[in-house]
């Protein structure tokens, strides 16, 4: 059964304090691993897609990496505006059914 | 922003009443999805559609039905709402080339 777990459940950082979020997954035939950002009261917003182990993608202060069993979202020198819930998701052999993890709630304190 | 609108955005109803949520897209995407989001569970797929009149079940489809009579509209119906269906419901469309999902703003449903 395809499954996604994320840790920690919540993370509180001081502004400028770098850290990483973890996404562990079990899927038959990974077609893609996705990271989304969700602000309170909003729908998730796409950040990255990773397709194969060893792949990395960056966007501003965020960098996503992928291994065969997990993905990390590294946040470098975060700012308060990076506060949000970060969701990890995977799709197996088809994009028909994307499985989401429960998310990590990130708070960045000025 | 992807052209996805959900209605209503907020609804309070009583147990046993029927409820229909509407998702409207202006992007002409073939694939549309309904998810529900609950604390501790994340987003779970209810139903999805891969074309007009073509739908399939997701992970948590019991108690829900869907219809798609036009490319732009995907309806989610709770025939007889229960308190366990209190949730935030998200509609999404898909870029089938990349698997990327574009979400609406959500519909918050409370069943008393």
């Amino acid at each position: 059964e395809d499954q996604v777990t994320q840790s920690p459940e919540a993370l509180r950082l001081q502004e400028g304090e770098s850290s990483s979020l973890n996404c562990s997954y079990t899927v038959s035939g990974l077609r893609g691993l996705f990271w989304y950002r969700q602000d309170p009261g909003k729908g998730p917003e796409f950040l990255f897609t990773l397709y194969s182990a060893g792949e990395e993608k960056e966007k501003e202060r965020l960098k996503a990496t992928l291994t065969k069993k997990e993905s990390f979202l590294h946040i470098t020198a975060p700012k308060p505006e990076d506060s949000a819930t970060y969701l990890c998701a995977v799709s197996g052999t088809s994009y028909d059914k994307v499985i989401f993890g429960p998310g990590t709630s990130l708070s960045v304190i000025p | 922003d992807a052209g996805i609108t959900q209605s209503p955005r907020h609804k309070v109803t009583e147990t046993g009443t029927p409820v229909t949520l509407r998702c409207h897209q202006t992007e002409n995407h073939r694939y549309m999805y309904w998810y529900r989001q609950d604390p501790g569970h994340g987003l779970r797929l209810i139903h999805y559609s891969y074309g007009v009149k073509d739908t399939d079940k997701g992970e948590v489809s019991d108690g829900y039905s869907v219809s798609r009579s036009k490319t732009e509209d995907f309806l989610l119906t709770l025939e007889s709402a229960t308190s366990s269906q209190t949730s935030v419901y998200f509609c999404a469309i898909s870029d089938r080339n990349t698997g990327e999902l574009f979400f609406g703003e959500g519909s918050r449903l409370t069943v008393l």
Side-chain angles (χ1 to χ4, degrees):
Chain A
E1 181 183 336
D2 297 348
Q3 191 172 2
V4 179
T5 59
Q6 293 186 245
S7 62
E9 183 175 327
L11 182 62
R12 190 179 171 97
L13 298 173
Q14 289 293 129
E15 184 172 2
E17 180 188 1
S18 301
S19 188
S20 297
L21 313 183
N22 175 266
C23 170
S24 296
Y25 65 92
T26 304
V27 67
S28 300
L30 179 72
R31 189 164 183 184
L33 183 140
F34 311 92
W35 283 98
Y36 289 83
R37 170 191 169 125
Q38 187 175 23
D39 293 304
K42 302 285 189 180
E45 180 181 346
F46 172 78
L47 291 173
F48 304 108
T49 306
L50 301 168
Y51 295 102
S52 58
E55 189 174 359
E56 300 182 350
K57 289 200 176 165
E58 289 188 64
K59 180 179 182 179
E60 296 181 0
R61 294 175 293 282
L62 301 177
K63 179 180 175 180
T65 63
L66 180 64
T67 72
K68 288 188 177 179
K69 294 185 178 180
E70 55 191 354
S71 176
F72 292 93
L73 185 65
H74 306 278
I75 303 175
T76 301
K79 298 182 177 182
E81 54 262 41
D82 294 321
S83 297
T85 296
Y86 291 85
L87 305 173
C88 175
V90 297
S91 64
T93 54
S94 167
Y95 287 142
D96 290 348
K97 296 181 182 180
V98 176
I99 307 298
F100 281 81
T104 293
S105 176
L106 174 66
S107 299
V108 182
I109 312 303
Chain B
D1 288 344
I4 307 171
T5 55
Q6 294 184 227
S7 59
R9 294 291 313 283
H10 301 272
K11 185 172 182 67
V12 179
T13 192
E14 294 190 351
T15 297
T17 60
V19 176
T20 296
L21 305 180
R22 179 178 182 247
C23 177
H24 179 79
Q25 62 145 333
T26 59
E27 307 297 315
N28 202 36
H29 279 275
R30 184 175 158 206
Y31 281 77
M32 298 184 75
Y33 305 81
W34 277 109
Y35 283 87
R36 61 177 288 174
Q37 187 173 39
D38 305 287
H41 289 280
L43 285 157
R44 292 179 291 174
L45 181 64
I46 305 171
H47 282 280
Y48 68 99
S49 170
Y50 47 96
V52 173
K53 292 185 169 46
D54 292 322
T55 65
D56 202 353
K57 296 180 180 180
E59 179 186 2
V60 289
S61 59
D62 287 349
Y64 301 95
S65 63
V66 289
S67 64
R68 188 145 177 227
S69 59
K70 298 185 290 185
T71 299
E72 57 266 36
D73 290 325
F74 191 32
L75 304 181
L76 177 70
T77 297
L78 292 65
E79 299 291 348
S80 178
T82 67
S83 58
S84 65
Q85 293 175 312
T86 292
S87 186
V88 181
Y89 292 86
F90 287 99
C91 175
I93 59 177
S94 172
D95 180 337
R96 296 295 290 178
N97 292 323
T98 64
E100 178 182 340
L101 292 168
F102 300 92
F103 287 87
E105 295 285 278
S107 296
R108 181 175 293 276
L109 175 67
T110 302
V111 183
L112 301 175

